[in-house]
Amino acid sequence: MKEKPDAQQPSTLDECRRCDLWRNATQPVGGQGARRAKLMLVGEQPGDQEDLAGKPFVGPAGDLLDAALEAAGIDRRQVYITNAVKHFKWEPRGKRRMHKTPAQKEVAACHYWLEAELESVGPDVIVALGATALKSVLQSGSVTLKDYMGQPVERGGRWIVATYHPAYALRVPSSEARAEARQAIIDALLEAKRLLS
Ligand code: URA
């Protein structure tokens, strides 16, 4: 007799029904990059363009991330880039699909996939891009970015470096704050590089 698939332990992202976000997304977006990368970058969730392309960080936030990686002297092809949540959560505004922050229960449900990626890629350093990523990486819904910014922590034999999400560096109103946020992302990448050396 064929075994019924376990809804809590799907074997592929396409089959995942651990939360309801799959219902309104085009497709799940898994991680991309070097299969055995020493450095893993974790974002929040795919945005509009990532949802359509099926690849992480290919939209405006991805452009900013690419520029930060370049400024830090890190080759994107050498790292593994993924998100805490693999489906785009959005709400309609006119014809646009507006990003909606995932709920903690969705982040917790999707940790299943991040755990699998951590196991197979085995990075020594993780850069958490934004609070959602940090919550997933540290498996705590109550941690804040402020508490970890500029202070890498070691967990389970790997370093975790926290910084702003690239989208924050694009949308924060003042140009001064945008420049500071960009620099903080570059500094976090440089710190990650230092921890790897
Ligand atoms: N924002 C994210 O957190 N991840 C992406 O892949 C794109 C935008």
Side-chain angles (χ1 to χ4, degrees):
M1 201 168 67
K2 211 172 155 199
E3 272 195 41
K4 215 171 143 214
D6 181 344
Q8 284 313 301
Q9 305 210 317
S11 44
T12 67
L13 266 176
D14 283 327
E15 288 169 5
C16 189
R17 303 293 181 262
R18 287 174 57 87
C19 77
D20 275 341
L21 293 184
W22 64 275
R23 292 181 185 279
N24 294 324
T26 307
Q27 59 193 321
V29 178
Q32 196 183 39
R35 293 157 70 92
R36 293 254 166 225
K38 289 192 160 78
L39 175 59
M40 182 183 283
L41 309 185
V42 182
E44 184 193 81
Q45 61 165 338
D48 184 75
Q49 294 195 30
E50 288 80 12
D51 168 79
L52 297 173
K55 293 180 184 149
F57 283 103
V58 293
D63 292 342
L64 192 140
L65 183 60
D66 284 346
L69 283 166
E70 200 181 332
I74 298 172
D75 182 346
R76 179 167 171 153
R77 291 166 304 184
Q78 305 287 310
V79 304
Y80 185 88
I81 303 184
T82 192
N83 285 299
V85 170
K86 311 299 195 227
H87 285 103
F88 180 33
K89 183 175 185 181
W90 59 278
E91 59 188 359
R93 195 174 302 159
K95 287 190 179 159
R96 297 184 64 195
R97 301 190 300 169
M98 300 306 291
H99 160 276
K100 240 187 134 189
T101 303
Q104 185 52 31
K105 67 174 187 207
E106 292 155 347
V107 176
C110 218
H111 186 79
Y112 173 80
W113 295 109
L114 184 61
E115 200 56 52
E117 289 172 302
L118 286 169
E119 208 166 287
S120 89
V121 178
D124 295 327
V125 179
I126 302 170
V127 175
L129 300 163
T132 301
L134 186 65
K135 285 175 184 169
S136 182
V137 168
L138 293 177
Q139 284 190 267
S140 160
S142 60
V143 296
T144 68
L145 207 50
K146 215 171 92 205
D147 292 338
Y148 287 86
M149 285 272 291
Q151 302 188 55
V153 285
E154 203 178 358
R155 290 291 149 83
R158 46 177 66 111
W159 286 100
I160 297 158
V161 179
T163 190
Y164 294 118
H165 190 284
Y168 170 78
L170 288 173
R171 69 161 190 258
V172 65
S174 89
S175 59
E176 220 172 47
R178 282 197 296 277
E180 270 173 31
R182 276 166 203 246
Q183 192 55 51
I185 295 171
I186 296 169
D187 290 346
L189 294 171
L190 288 169
E191 179 66 6
K193 222 169 118 176
R194 194 189 63 75
L195 289 165
L196 284 171
S197 62

